[in-house]
Amino acid sequence: MAFKKIDKENWGRKEYFEHYFSDVPCTYSITVKLDITRIKEKKQKLYPTMLYYLATVINRHAEFRTAINENGELGIYSEMIPCYTVFHKDTETFSNLWTEYKANLDDFCAAYEEDMLKYGKQPGITGKPNIPSNSFTVSMLPWATFEGFNLNLQKGYNYLIPIFTIGKYYQENERIMIPISIQVHHAVCDGFHVCRFTNELQELINN
């Protein structure tokens, strides 16, 4: 994993970044419905499959890999990996796990299963230690569907990495749909980028 620092003075997004990061700090979220009929028809495991698809589209586009690192430097990670929540029924709490990204779906799902087997029952907020800095957060709420979801982050105006929340899937006519909320920072990501992301995510699921 590499982190390439951004030369802000020669960065085409400098004006937008400074406006939405410093002048008018702005984050926003959008919730969309995805058609996951194809995933269910193929009897794929929903959570790891969605994690793989999310990571695949994120790794196509720099705006979803832009971050401020531990040294306070603005830059772009060469690759992002998913950090995701797993629920513990016995304590009604969750833990964060992460899985290295693999370019092949089956390889990623196999790595996910290994992590679940090794760390899935670990108590505490960090189930798998040493969460990498080049990770993005995904939560699954399989108990309810929703039409809107928003995170209120006290220090969110300094956090540039996208956050995803997936709800309960449901049937709509003859299709199986699932809501997903995407929270981003306007300094690095405009509405166009989010819409392109969701369109590419749907295309990936379909194909």
Side-chain angles (χ1 to χ4, degrees):
M1 177 272 298
F3 183 80
K4 183 180 180 181
K5 289 192 291 184
I6 291 173
D7 176 8
K8 276 208 296 186
E9 294 306 312
N10 297 297
W11 187 30
R13 193 166 177 84
K14 177 187 174 183
E15 178 182 4
Y16 303 91
F17 180 85
E18 291 181 346
H19 181 70
Y20 288 116
F21 189 82
S22 301
D23 299 337
V24 187
C26 177
T27 66
Y28 66 95
S29 63
I30 181 172
T31 300
V32 299
K33 296 189 298 183
L34 294 174
D35 184 344
I36 58 165
T37 307
R38 180 87 173 177
I39 294 175
K40 302 302 288 184
E41 287 177 345
K42 296 176 72 175
K43 301 187 185 305
Q44 296 169 313
K45 284 194 173 181
L46 179 60
Y47 203 11
T49 301
M50 287 299 298
L51 293 174
Y52 169 80
Y53 287 150
L54 287 169
T56 297
V57 182
I58 281 176
N59 286 323
R60 291 176 182 174
H61 301 292
E63 61 268 14
F64 292 99
R65 292 181 280 111
T66 304
I68 298 173
N69 67 9
E70 59 272 15
N71 298 319
E73 299 167 322
L74 177 67
I76 302 172
Y77 286 110
S78 58
E79 182 180 87
M80 299 291 287
I81 66 173
C83 175
Y84 50 93
T85 57
V86 294
F87 184 69
H88 306 300
K89 291 182 179 179
D90 55 341
T91 60
E92 296 183 350
T93 60
F94 69 91
S95 297
N96 290 310
L97 274 61
W98 55 274
T99 296
E100 291 284 357
Y101 177 69
K102 309 289 184 182
N104 178 270
L105 172 60
D106 291 338
D107 292 341
F108 176 82
C109 289
Y112 167 90
E113 293 297 341
E114 289 180 12
D115 285 329
M116 285 294 294
L117 184 63
K118 188 172 182 179
Y119 302 105
K121 294 183 179 180
Q122 289 291 325
I125 197 167
T126 303
K128 182 179 178 181
N130 304 315
I131 298 174
S133 57
N134 63 318
S135 61
F136 65 94
T137 301
V138 184
S139 295
M140 174 72 87
L141 305 178
W143 309 282
T145 188
F146 51 78
E147 295 185 355
F149 187 96
N150 184 68
L151 293 167
N152 301 301
L153 307 175
Q154 183 181 19
K155 299 180 180 180
Y157 295 125
N158 294 321
Y159 189 79
L160 303 180
I161 298 173
I163 302 173
F164 301 89
T165 307
I166 305 172
K168 180 181 180 180
Y169 66 83
Y170 60 96
Q171 187 158 337
E172 187 176 89
N173 298 321
E174 297 182 356
R175 313 304 295 174
I176 301 175
M177 312 297 292
I178 198 167
I180 180 169
S181 173
I182 307 169
Q183 184 135 336
V184 296
H185 202 303
H186 208 343
V188 295
C189 188
D190 301 327
F192 163 80
H193 303 108
V194 175
C195 292
R196 177 172 64 185
F197 181 93
T198 57
N199 289 337
E200 290 188 8
L201 182 59
Q202 185 63 73
E203 290 174 4
L204 201 57
I205 292 171
N206 293 344
N207 296 326

